[in-house]
Amino acid sequence: MKIEQIYTGCLAEAAYYIESNGEAAIIDPLREVATYLKKAEKAGAVIKYIFETHFHADFVSGHVDLAEKSGAEIIYGPTAKTEFKAHIAKDGEQFKLGTLTITALHTPGHTLESTTYLLTDENGKDHCIFSGDTLFIGDVGRPDLAQKGNLTMEDLAGMLYDSLNEKIKPLADDVIVYPAHGAGSACGKSMSKETFDTLGHQKQVNYALKAETKEQFIAEVTDGILPPPQYFAKNAAINKGGVESIDEVYEKGLNALTPQQFEDMANQTGAIMLDTRDPQVFAKGFIPNSINIGLNGQFAPWVGALITDLQQPILLVTEQGKAEETITRLTRVGYDSTIGYLDAGFENWIAADKEIDTIESISADTFEQVATHADITALDVRKPGEYESEHLEFTLSRPLDFIDDWMGEIDPKATYYIHCAGGYRSMIAASILKSRGVEQVIDIAGGYGAIKNTGLKRTDFACPSKAMKA
């Protein structure tokens, strides 16, 4: 028996490769499927099943493409309705994989079709569960994504309580929990950085599993949930209907452009110019009106949160050799309309003597001097919970997630100092403001982490969980 967790940090997503006696199964595959095909080929195994724990909202699954390339059968849990060929499992239905048995346990709550897959070894012992977004390490799935008709978030939370107590908690304490996500995912509130654990330990430490009543569970699980990123519903719809092969997306997007071709295409198509270089490198020089979302951060989720149209044409500026990786990460959240990239990178743009723009980035110490001697406007673009837990006394909370909501109050002629926690999100915000005509935008390098080392007055620290309840 072989079980491999394939964890993708930028999405905080876990897919799984299971193998026994020449047969393999993939659980919750990402959009690019070559990894799974190569693993099976190297092992001399045939991929027999593709198990989906639910219709994912935070990424586009590669299930249809993988099924076409491997001949595997796609399995969903009860109540799922797809526009492609799939086997809809009954609650308790069993699937044989070599000497292993995989049982579908219908666990609605996060979504109505959510299903946990219980793996039993060759000796008939329950070994692990693939819990999808039903049970995380330290948390459970948010119950607000699948509200339909008269079905409320509280109704779904009640279903989730029943699923956990009737299907999962009765399992042995030594059963291993393999979830679909870890810390950083927007599918839960307070996930652990650990990516697996024993069920017994989770019963001791996971607040949701310790709730004594359904009422307590519903209250705790629904408290402090932020609105989901705008792309979630779109990705879920894509996963129900299937999507084009990633190979076709590469063919369209891996289009190397000279600086003049890049400029012409930007003018002709209305494409977003997405610069994925490091924030501080971007600040020193970039193509006017381009947006910075660094590839070395949570790139795909931020693209999904901020670019509202999945069909929006995109032109890329990347570090040399990073165009294909960037396209791959865009496709993971449904952005398939990359139409080209700047050949040889930004250096080629400079060599062509094209116009550039810059964003001033200052140290926390310099910011302290400015703020001490002048009346300034400073924007904290961290999430509300981060801001409420601790912030500078004079900063305004303007979360990057909701930039379109507060953009209307921005004065294009004013000067704005912007910071986040470490400098990644503030440069995204600064680049967006710049692209929308705000010239005086100043980034604070190192963000709040660096600002804490200055003498600027801060609010008293409050536990983030308590701040969310305020």
Side-chain angles (χ1 to χ4, degrees):
M1 175 175 69
K2 178 180 181 181
I3 299 172
E4 182 177 353
Q5 183 183 70
I6 306 169
Y7 198 79
T8 304
C10 66
L11 280 179
E13 189 272 349
Y16 296 89
Y17 175 88
I18 310 163
E19 183 192 312
S20 175
N21 277 16
E23 293 184 336
I26 311 298
I27 294 182
D28 294 339
L30 281 184
R31 180 77 178 275
E32 65 275 19
V33 301
T35 299
Y36 316 118
L37 294 168
K38 288 176 183 176
K39 286 184 181 294
E41 182 181 7
K42 184 177 180 180
V46 174
I47 300 177
K48 185 177 181 181
Y49 297 118
I50 302 162
F51 292 101
E52 290 281 14
T53 55
H54 63 294
F55 290 121
H56 310 284
D58 61 311
F59 70 93
V60 176
S61 176
H63 51 341
V64 174
D65 198 16
L66 182 57
E68 291 176 353
K69 291 177 176 176
S70 67
E73 186 174 29
I74 301 172
I75 311 295
Y76 272 94
T79 78
K81 295 180 180 179
T82 67
E83 297 174 18
F84 48 84
K85 184 180 179 182
H87 178 84
I88 308 303
K90 297 181 178 64
D91 186 25
E93 185 172 349
Q94 295 187 334
F95 301 86
K96 292 295 183 180
L97 188 78
T99 61
L100 309 177
T101 301
I102 296 175
T103 305
L105 304 177
H106 189 207
T107 50
H110 173 64
T111 63
L112 295 176
E113 80 288 346
S114 284
T115 297
T116 296
Y117 296 101
L118 169 65
L119 185 147
T120 305
D121 67 20
E122 59 184 357
N123 299 314
K125 184 179 186 303
D126 293 343
H127 177 75
C128 66
I129 53 173
F130 302 95
S131 55
D133 287 17
T134 296
L135 176 62
F136 297 127
I137 307 307
D139 203 355
V140 291
R142 57 190 299 165
D144 63 322
L145 300 181
Q147 301 173 64
K148 294 181 179 179
N150 295 323
L151 203 59
T152 67
M153 173 172 64
E154 288 75 18
D155 292 332
L156 284 161
M159 290 183 190
L160 185 56
Y161 176 85
D162 292 338
S163 294
L164 291 166
N165 282 275
E166 295 171 9
K167 301 289 182 66
I168 292 180
K169 286 178 72 173
L171 297 172
D173 285 351
D174 63 354
V175 166
I176 301 169
V177 178
Y178 288 120
H181 294 292
S185 168
C187 293
K189 292 186 299 183
S190 55
M191 283 178 253
S192 168
K193 292 181 180 180
E194 302 299 322
T195 61
F196 63 92
D197 194 6
T198 62
L199 180 58
H201 187 242
Q202 281 303 295
K203 291 176 184 177
Q204 296 174 12
V205 301
N206 189 319
Y207 77 96
L209 295 186
K210 294 196 296 180
E212 296 181 359
T213 66
K214 181 182 284 191
E215 290 72 25
Q216 179 188 353
F217 177 90
I218 292 172
E220 292 183 350
V221 169
T222 58
D223 180 50
I225 296 180
L226 293 174
Q230 62 86 27
Y231 71 100
F232 269 31
K234 299 170 186 176
N235 278 195
I238 289 173
N239 286 326
K240 292 177 183 178
V243 71
E244 68 179 319
S245 169
I246 196 171
D247 301 334
E248 299 171 20
V249 182
Y250 287 143
E251 185 177 344
K252 178 174 54 181
L254 288 173
N255 179 25
L257 302 170
T258 66
Q260 190 59 52
Q261 289 172 327
F262 188 97
E263 185 175 31
D264 290 344
M265 195 169 283
N267 291 332
Q268 293 164 9
T269 64
I272 283 180
M273 294 178 289
L274 184 59
D275 192 319
T276 67
R277 296 174 298 153
D278 178 83
Q280 290 301 311
V281 173
F282 173 86
K284 294 174 183 176
F286 55 89
I287 299 173
N289 298 318
S290 58
I291 304 299
N292 175 240
I293 304 181
L295 198 62
N296 291 329
Q298 284 197 304
F299 172 73
W302 278 116
V303 168
L306 297 170
I307 300 178
T308 56
D309 182 5
L310 266 63
Q311 306 305 316
Q312 170 69 50
I314 296 174
L315 287 167
L316 297 175
V317 180
T318 72
E319 293 180 7
Q320 291 197 43
K322 292 289 188 178
E324 184 171 339
E325 179 186 346
T326 304
I327 292 171
T328 298
R329 290 169 67 171
L330 286 169
T331 66
R332 288 175 181 166
V333 287
Y335 292 82
D336 293 357
S337 296
T338 299
I339 57 176
Y341 66 95
L342 182 60
D343 190 24
F346 186 69
E347 291 76 10
N348 201 15
W349 184 267
I350 295 175
D353 201 27
K354 293 288 187 181
E355 182 183 357
I356 68 169
D357 201 350
T358 61
I359 288 175
E360 184 178 359
S361 185
I362 62 174
S363 69
D365 290 337
T366 300
F367 175 62
E368 179 182 17
Q369 295 172 19
V370 173
T372 302
H373 297 97
D375 184 15
I376 65 172
T377 302
L379 309 180
D380 184 333
V381 299
R382 296 176 299 162
K383 292 181 181 296
E386 294 175 272
Y387 180 84
E388 290 167 10
S389 67
E390 186 180 11
H391 59 268
L392 292 176
E393 289 185 346
F394 61 89
T395 52
L396 303 174
S397 177
R398 297 294 183 268
L400 175 60
D401 310 58
F402 310 116
I403 191 168
D404 287 338
D405 295 336
W406 52 262
M407 192 69 205
E409 66 188 58
I410 295 296
D411 179 359
K413 297 180 182 179
T415 298
Y416 295 94
Y417 292 82
I418 304 177
H419 81 81
C420 60
Y424 181 81
R425 288 171 286 178
S426 61
M427 192 60 70
I428 298 174
S431 69
I432 293 174
L433 264 60
K434 262 272 188 175
S435 73
R436 297 182 184 180
V438 185
E439 287 299 323
Q440 300 302 316
V441 180
I442 301 170
D443 172 71
I444 304 161
Y448 193 71
I451 291 171
K452 289 177 71 172
N453 296 320
T454 70
L456 291 171
K457 290 185 178 181
R458 310 191 305 270
T459 60
D460 292 334
F461 177 78
C463 176
S465 60
K466 292 181 181 178
M468 292 177 73
K469 294 177 182 180

